[in-house]
Amino acid sequence: MEAGAAPVPQGHIALVGAGPGARDLLTMRAVQRLQQADIIFYDRLVDPEVLELARRDADRVYVGKDVGACAWPQHKIDRLIVAEAAKGRRVVRLKSGDPSIFGRACEELAAAEAAGIEVEIVPGITAASAAAASLKRPLTERGETDTLVITTGTCRPGDASPDRARLAHPGTAVTFYMAVDKAAEVSRDLIAAGAPGACPVDIIAAVSTARERHAATTLDRLAETIRDEGLKSPAILFVRYPKSLAAARAASAAA
Amino acid sequence: MEAGAAPVPQGHIALVGAGPGARDLLTMRAVQRLQQADIIFYDRLVDPEVLELARRDADRVYVGKDVGACAWPQHKIDRLIVAEAAKGRRVVRLKSGDPSIFGRACEELAAAEAAGIEVEIVPGITAASAAAASLKRPLTERGETDTLVITTGTCRPGDASPDRARLAHPGTAVTFYMAVDKAAEVSRDLIAAGAPGACPVDIIAAVSTARERHAATTLDRLAETIRDEGLKSPAILFVRYPKSLAAARAASAAA
């Protein structure tokens, strides 16, 4: 090293799951990364209280992503987090929920790796887990539901919607993310594929926050309930097709 | 109140997700509950370091549950947690991962509610999220996988295995819990239902702990890889059927 040339400190990017909203649902590892960060890029869905866990002198950059819409294009976020880390800064990209579930972490991972920047994912509590905890209704139930599906109601323009027919199966619990505006389609597709209209559905909005709201309904009344209750995004739909409902239906068909 | 009769303090049961193993993957809420607990019931899968977060004077009761086997029958655990809370104690039932995902929380919730004991669920990081973070491979990938399935390889005696045929679908990522010993069946069922043998699979054992191990393979070589690498439970299988693989297959069939 030449005299006078200070070593460039090693930059680092952490894609950190902020969980569903409540500050105390962050993991200890997430809190540690926030406290180490020189700069934090965050979305609209992150509860403002979560940012209070960061150092006071850390830069905070709002990148304005919201469900189904981006104030900032993804490639701009990718470029900025890499540019900051390349200066030797510790960068946190804070993401609602778990970065690995509908978090678009792939693009940011690829950008970091292409630039030779060290990157890690810190997992977060996903909305389905938080909703189940809040409802006191597990996502899987012995004898009733042995398979949990996490899927989305909203895709980027040009992408096909996830095929829903195969989800209408006894023993399956399905959580739909970003699907409040697609509730009528979700019901129609599942019922067309054979799910009973009587399947229980919970709608949980703003889970774990002070604005949390919950409505219980059935698959055939899903869109109506959302409308009548005025429920808005962010919310998840938790649809269950219990094995006992399938058995009761079979018994009634045979009678 | 009669003179001399002390009020009975309010007992409480918290079903707390301990996450996949690493102590710093507990949420702050989980840590708080551990620190408040008078007595903690825990399983074999919980890393011993997690228990260090509890008060030194808290009672610790090992209930010896392991994957697919119970040293203690569930009804005995149910009875004991309720009996302790009924004495006015703050009870933590610590569970690996997220209590709402294959955590048998239903039985404990029902027992608490039947006894009129206040009960809550504190969500935890489930193994699939921790595995994705460790692999730096998200569970959903835009354009490739839009649906995540979490299912189990092992059911209680007498229960049918989850139907796997519907999981062999382009765009689906499937994580199998408790399935190391069922790997040959998993491969056979998915391939029989149309999934290409070339589907990528990651096997992640003891995720987030010092003993974590990982092997990458394909669906048609899954059981062989587990055997050759000597991978043991607890582990998850992360099977992906990317849309691009389905498209390549269709193109090759048409050629």
Side-chain angles (χ1 to χ4, degrees), chain A residues 180-181 203-206 213 226-227 229-236:
Chain A
V180 167
D181 300 332
I203 308 146
I204 311 100
R213 287 189 62 199
I226 289 173
R227 194 185 56 233
E229 301 280 335
L231 295 166
K232 303 278 183 215
S233 189
I236 73 162

Side-chain angles (χ1 to χ4, degrees), chain B:
Chain B
M1 192 185 304
E2 286 178 64
V8 175
Q10 183 81 37
H12 176 270
I13 297 172
L15 308 178
V16 174
R23 186 163 74 162
D24 66 350
L25 289 180
L26 265 78
T27 67
M28 290 190 285
R29 189 179 297 175
V31 174
Q32 190 184 48
R33 291 299 175 275
L34 277 171
Q35 288 172 348
Q36 291 166 336
D38 297 309
I39 184 165
I40 297 159
F41 293 85
Y42 67 98
D43 294 331
R44 195 169 92 93
L45 285 177
V46 171
D47 201 286
E49 285 199 358
V50 169
L51 287 172
E52 289 168 19
L53 295 164
R55 290 206 322 268
R56 283 180 67 181
D57 65 336
D59 292 327
R60 291 154 166 82
V61 183
Y62 169 59
V63 298
K65 283 185 67 175
D66 198 355
V67 170
C70 291
W72 285 34
Q74 183 65 46
H75 65 81
K76 184 176 170 189
I77 299 174
D78 300 346
R79 202 175 59 230
L80 263 167
I81 60 176
V82 166
E84 289 294 328
K87 294 179 196 167
R89 302 186 85 189
R90 285 157 300 183
V91 177
V92 161
R93 173 72 179 100
L94 193 61
K95 289 169 168 285
S96 295
D98 179 20
S100 298
I101 299 180
F102 302 119
R104 298 197 66 173
C106 290
E107 288 95 326
E108 292 160 1
L109 286 167
E113 286 167 1
I117 305 279
E118 197 189 325
V119 61
E120 74 172 326
I121 298 179
V122 177
I125 300 288
T126 194
S129 288
S134 181
L135 294 172
K136 299 180 196 173
R137 174 172 289 284
L139 297 166
T140 62
E141 297 182 48
R142 274 210 159 181
E144 287 288 15
T145 48
D146 56 32
T147 298
L148 166 66
V149 177
I150 297 179
T151 188
T152 174
T154 304
C155 288
R156 70 177 161 189
D159 271 7
S161 274
D163 174 45
R164 298 189 185 111
R166 69 202 149 115
L167 307 178
H169 200 283
T172 301
V174 189
T175 55
F176 291 90
Y177 287 33
M178 299 165 278
V180 167
D181 300 332
K182 301 292 174 80
E185 280 177 42
V186 164
S187 286
R188 182 198 63 201
D189 291 354
L190 293 178
I191 291 172
C199 283
V201 182
D202 289 286
I203 308 146
I204 311 99
V207 62
S208 88
T209 73
R211 303 173 305 284
E212 178 174 314
R213 289 189 60 199
H214 167 232
T217 187
T218 49
L219 191 55
D220 52 4
R221 299 196 60 251
L222 174 57
E224 193 182 331
T225 303
I226 289 173
R227 195 185 56 232
D228 293 352
E229 301 281 334
L231 294 166
K232 305 278 183 215
S233 186
I236 74 162
L237 314 178
F238 175 25
V239 181
R240 295 178 298 285
Y241 187 177
K243 291 179 185 176
S244 60
L245 187 58
R249 200 187 206 198
S252 127

